[in-house]
Amino acid sequence: MIDFTLTDKQLEIQAKYRDFTKRWITPNALKFDELAEFPWPVVKAAYEEGIMNGPLPTQFGGNGYSLIEGAIAAEELGAGCIGIGIGIEANTLALTPLLLVANEWQQKEFYGRIHEEKGVAAYALTEPNAGSDVQGIKSTAIKHGDKYILNGHKRFITNAEVSTFMTVFALTDPERGSRSLSAFIVPTNSPGVEIKPHLMKMGQRASVQNEIIFHDVEVPATHLLGREGEGFLIAMKTFDRTRNGVGALALGAARTAYETARDWAKNRIQFGKPIAAQQAIAFMLADIDVLIETSRLLVYRSAHAYDAGLKEASKLSAMAKLYASDSAMKVATDAVQIMGGDGYSRDFMVEKIMRDVKLNQIYEGTNQVQRVVISKSILK
Ligand SMILES: Cc1cc2nc3c(=O)[nH]c(=O)nc-3n(C[C@H](O)[C@H](O)[C@H](O)COP(=O)(O)OP(=O)(O)OC[C@H]3O[C@@H](n4cnc5c(N)ncnc54)[C@H](O)[C@@H]3O)c2cc1C
């Protein structure tokens, strides 16, 4: 029996995040898009209202959310502003390796620190020559006694300049290449961490990204996550869990674009009647609604597969990210079209959403890379 009815707990999560988005994210979305600054006041409020760190264990101040609960929450954040939503959700990306492999001391220490400081964390994987090709990573962390000495260059790292610590991927034995890729927790204020000014970009401007240079940074050996050489697996398993959220954020933004364009089309009179009465516009709205419904189905299906520990969860998370973000791009572009010149102006949210959702097709593995993941899974 398949039941698509949300449980009371899921409805409660949806209502809580919808209400927070209405009060804190939607009213601040255009402001932080314009400022291109990390939205600290919103993140502080999110901490106060139990919105941050959804999947963290409850004993460390999180909500202990399953993936389906996290997806319901992320759709609501995305409905307000993906940029602000990513400021909140990138914490989840950075902390997921801890969820997967951290020992008891690491959990207490790092979850504790983030919660106490009401801070954010960053996930530092990408390098100038290692974007889609994670195996091209060149940063090194060489063991000397009870420390690793970290050197290297990362870029596009979300939240870096505002983070308490970063989850950093580096090679412990460069001769063994990516087979020695390992994950570490690196406090951002460690001597030798150089963070460049944040990137100026097209959309999701409330979320900040930096280039980072590590110059002989000393990292205590106790900060190694899992074992040496497990880094590639940790990175891929992290994405299996977080890609669904990228799809859910895109879905939320698509929903807002659709609702804005639909209401506009019902009220905008041209040729003596609402433009929604023209079949060309009505059919565009119908197609948009189909994309939103099908995106939600795939996001929920993928989250359910992960929570149930199904073998196809990895493939489905790639599908959910790919489909929901491609759909959101089409929805946003059509919403702008339906609203004509007003859609293209900064007076309405659809212009911003069109810029924002483009990025969901790129980060956490481009949509071409999702197709690589899916095709490998079905052809192996
Ligand atoms: C705003 C933003 C935030 C980000 N946040 C983070 C973060 O927090 N942490 C982090 O580690 N990284 C982050 N990234 C990095 C992001 O994950 C990479 O940008 C992404 O994986 C693509 O890498 P690239 O930009 O180097 O593109 P490239 O890998 O150079 O790809 C360029 C093009 O080639 C295509 N391509 C490459 N290889 C293949 C292939 N095998 N088959 C088909 N097509 C291919 C790609 O799909 C793309 O269209 C962020 C990026 C941005 C822009």
Side-chain angles (χ1 to χ4, degrees), residues 123-126 131-132 155-158 201 209 359 362-366 368:
Y123 181 85
L125 183 71
T126 304
S132 300
R155 70 165 178 165
F156 293 144
I157 307 307
T158 301
K201 56 191 199 301
Q209 282 73 31
L359 188 50
I362 294 172
Y363 55 28
E364 294 208 25
T366 64
Q368 285 82 0

Side-chain angles (χ1 to χ4, degrees), residues 103-319:
N103 61 34
E104 213 176 305
W105 175 81
Q106 291 170 331
Q107 294 212 356
K108 263 201 196 132
E109 173 70 17
F110 299 117
Y111 287 150
R113 215 184 276 184
I114 277 290
H115 188 64
E116 241 165 63
E117 287 188 17
K118 298 193 180 351
V120 291
Y123 181 85
L125 183 71
T126 304
E127 299 188 353
N129 293 313
S132 300
D133 182 11
V134 172
Q135 293 182 338
I137 284 180
K138 293 278 182 283
S139 291
T140 55
I142 307 298
K143 198 160 187 197
H144 289 276
D146 59 356
K147 296 185 183 84
Y148 289 87
I149 306 298
L150 174 64
N151 280 288
H153 185 174
K154 299 283 176 185
R155 70 165 178 165
F156 293 144
I157 307 307
T158 301
N159 283 356
E161 70 183 32
V162 287
S163 64
T164 299
F165 58 75
M166 301 181 269
T167 308
V168 179
F169 292 81
L171 307 176
T172 46
D173 180 356
E175 279 184 14
R176 291 182 65 230
S178 65
R179 276 174 300 148
S180 79
L181 192 66
S182 308
F184 300 88
I185 296 289
V186 180
T188 309
N189 62 4
S190 305
V193 175
E194 183 192 349
I195 299 192
K196 305 269 192 194
H198 65 246
L199 184 73
M200 279 298 159
K201 56 191 199 301
M202 177 198 289
Q204 300 191 22
R205 288 160 52 85
S207 152
V208 292
Q209 282 73 31
N210 306 85
E211 219 173 305
I212 308 167
I213 318 277
F214 298 109
H215 307 272
D216 288 329
V217 178
E218 292 188 4
V219 183
T222 50
H223 289 205
L224 171 72
L225 292 174
R227 288 196 300 268
E228 283 187 14
E230 280 187 341
F232 187 74
L233 195 67
I234 294 171
M236 295 305 119
K237 285 200 174 299
T238 295
F239 289 138
D240 284 349
R241 198 179 199 289
T242 58
R243 276 179 180 146
N244 185 273
V246 176
L249 285 166
L251 164 64
R255 190 182 87 202
T256 298
Y258 159 68
E259 288 170 357
T260 311
R262 178 199 59 197
D263 295 350
W264 178 271
K266 286 202 264 185
N267 290 307
R268 172 73 178 158
I269 310 290
Q270 286 294 280
F271 300 99
K273 55 185 178 184
I275 57 167
Q278 304 287 354
Q279 197 179 58
I281 300 290
F283 278 16
M284 272 170 100
L285 287 166
D287 287 344
I288 285 177
D289 200 18
V290 171
L291 290 177
I292 289 170
E293 287 289 343
T294 48
S295 294
R296 189 175 293 113
L297 285 175
L298 198 45
V299 165
Y300 283 8
R301 162 96 169 99
S302 136
H304 170 266
Y306 188 92
D307 290 336
L310 303 183
K311 179 160 108 281
E312 62 267 35
S314 172
K315 177 188 81 174
L316 285 167
S317 74
M319 285 183 172

